[in-house]
Amino acid sequence: MTKKFVPLMLSLSFILVGCSKGLGGSGGCPTVKEFQKKLDNLQPGIQIEKIEKSPIPGLCKVVIKISEFNKALFYTDAKGNYIISGNIIDIAQKKDIMREEMEKLNKKVLDKNTLSEVEKLVDLTYGNSPNVVYFITDPDCPVCKRAEPVLENLAKEGKITVKTILLPLESLHPEAKNKSISLICDKKGFQDLIQGYKGANLCASGKEKIEKNIDFMFNKIGVTGTPAFIFPDGEVVIGWVGPEFILNKFNLR
């Protein structure tokens, strides 16, 4: 899928043309084949994965593939004449249907074999609890820095063990890769990461390890942003999560 169309669709607050007739269809949905032709005329390269009825009367859900690991969606009418995208609010339930559908669509859950591979990638460990949180981080990621003291405090309280995997995003943070390599080469720990350690030791094994992290996260499980968290049940969460979320995962209060 091209990169231009998806952000355009997802940034629109609500596009609906001729809704008085467009939403009054027979309740069916266009086929993937026929709707794909219409999208190809609009902009080639949009790959439809499936079309199915939506809980919203008169609307059909169109799931599109952005990459191997990421999907997006929008809605169309029964005849496939319109594109509806953006926030769709259920007034009675007070919830954003679009957001919830996107979260479900892109929820990642790793199997046991993949989790065992994640365990082999751990660079830094902090804590002694059986409740393990895998923390995928870039040393210069601002949101990651916000997460670090939260994880540190939970580990100090004996509630979790933080197992850190370094994933420098060099295109965003030019110094992050060397910082990650030196943390490994100098055998530093989680608190050194918090303190912003930057050494000059860029050993070959450290470079190899970071490349392995990048390859696995990007190409094997589709984690391309930081922070990311992986829990023992296999759930992968990309982005900030608060302490309440983490404690709930382990039924801790």
Side-chain angles (χ1 to χ4, degrees), residues 69-191:
F69 302 102
N70 295 291
K71 300 173 184 178
L73 65 86
F74 59 87
Y75 295 87
T76 189
D77 61 291
K79 294 185 178 180
N81 290 329
Y82 307 103
I83 288 176
I84 301 98
S85 181
N87 298 329
I88 301 180
I89 308 298
D90 183 325
I91 297 174
Q93 298 295 322
K94 298 180 180 179
K95 64 181 182 180
D96 187 332
I97 294 174
M98 175 72 83
R99 180 180 61 79
E100 288 194 359
E101 288 290 333
M102 282 289 291
E103 288 176 354
K104 291 178 184 177
L105 198 61
N106 288 300
K107 183 175 181 178
K108 302 178 192 297
V109 179
L110 307 182
D111 59 30
K112 290 183 179 180
N113 289 334
T114 307
L115 276 174
S116 67
E117 292 300 311
V118 170
E119 173 65 28
K120 294 174 185 177
L121 293 178
V122 172
D123 297 308
L124 316 169
T125 298
Y126 186 69
N128 296 298
S129 169
N131 302 322
V132 173
V133 177
Y134 295 97
F135 176 47
I136 294 87
T137 185
D138 174 316
D140 289 337
C141 159
V143 183
C144 302
K145 302 309 289 184
R146 180 184 169 196
E148 288 170 358
V150 172
L151 296 171
E152 181 185 29
N153 288 336
L154 291 176
K156 282 181 177 178
E157 292 170 1
K159 294 178 178 177
I160 65 169
T161 292
V162 185
K163 293 193 174 184
T164 301
I165 299 171
L166 299 168
L167 183 67
L169 306 178
E170 197 172 14
S171 60
L172 297 175
H173 310 125
E175 296 185 355
K177 192 170 186 178
N178 284 352
K179 286 183 179 180
S180 299
I181 293 169
S182 65
L183 279 163
I184 294 171
C185 294
D186 290 337
K187 303 185 186 305
K188 295 298 181 178
F190 185 71
Q191 290 180 320

Side-chain angles (χ1 to χ4, degrees), residues 211-228:
E211 291 301 330
K212 187 176 181 179
N213 289 0
I214 293 171
D215 177 63
F216 184 89
M217 291 295 163
F218 276 52
N219 300 319
K220 300 293 177 60
I221 62 174
V223 173
T224 58
T226 56

